[in-house]
Amino acid sequence: MFKKILAATAMLFAVASWAAVDVNRATEAELDSLKGVGPALSKRIIEARKQGEFKDWADFMSRVKGVKDKSATKLSGEGLTVNGQPFSGQAPANKVKENDAKKVTPTAHKAQAKP
């Protein structure tokens, strides 16, 4: 009987260790327990969360310094979620690429055109 209880407890612990950590509800210690999240990042997350809950990954990435696509992918792989959702690989929509912001002037365009 003792072995069955011990086995059930071990399985429960194993399942709990793979459980997702939601960024809006996690404590600093829970955030620190994720691989890739250290004390500095967990403090930045907690500070940004004081402004309000994160709506989605784009909101999270725009408000927490140092979290970009690559790190969001890694953190999501380790079990971090935003409102229960893993990172889908989409960059924040409010960012504009530098090349997109530049406009070609008509004179510059004419200089490039060959007669």
Side-chain angles (χ1 to χ4, degrees):
M1 182 68 169
F2 178 72
K3 289 181 181 180
K4 289 181 182 181
I5 293 172
L6 185 60
T9 304
M11 286 192 313
L12 183 60
F13 181 72
V15 170
S17 67
W18 286 99
V21 176
D22 192 82
V23 74
N24 287 319
R25 288 162 188 69
T27 64
E28 192 171 343
E30 289 171 328
L31 291 169
D32 279 343
S33 71
L34 294 172
K35 184 178 178 183
V37 178
L41 181 56
S42 63
K43 287 180 183 177
R44 287 195 306 267
I45 292 170
I46 299 292
E47 285 300 313
R49 193 170 66 188
K50 288 180 182 177
Q51 299 170 357
E53 287 192 352
F54 299 105
K55 298 174 192 168
D56 52 24
W57 276 95
D59 182 34
F60 175 70
M61 292 166 57
S62 67
R63 290 171 43 196
V64 178
K65 182 181 175 184
V67 180
K68 304 291 183 226
D69 285 345
K70 188 175 180 179
S71 55
T73 301
K74 288 181 182 179
L75 293 173
S76 182
E78 292 297 324
L80 189 68
T81 63
V82 178
N83 290 326
Q85 298 299 314
F87 182 62
S88 63
Q90 298 174 345
N94 59 355
K95 290 189 177 183
V96 177
K97 291 182 180 178
E98 187 177 329
N99 293 338
D100 293 343
K102 294 180 182 178
K103 292 184 179 179
V104 177
T105 60
T107 55
H109 183 46
K110 287 180 185 177
Q112 292 176 355
K114 293 181 181 180

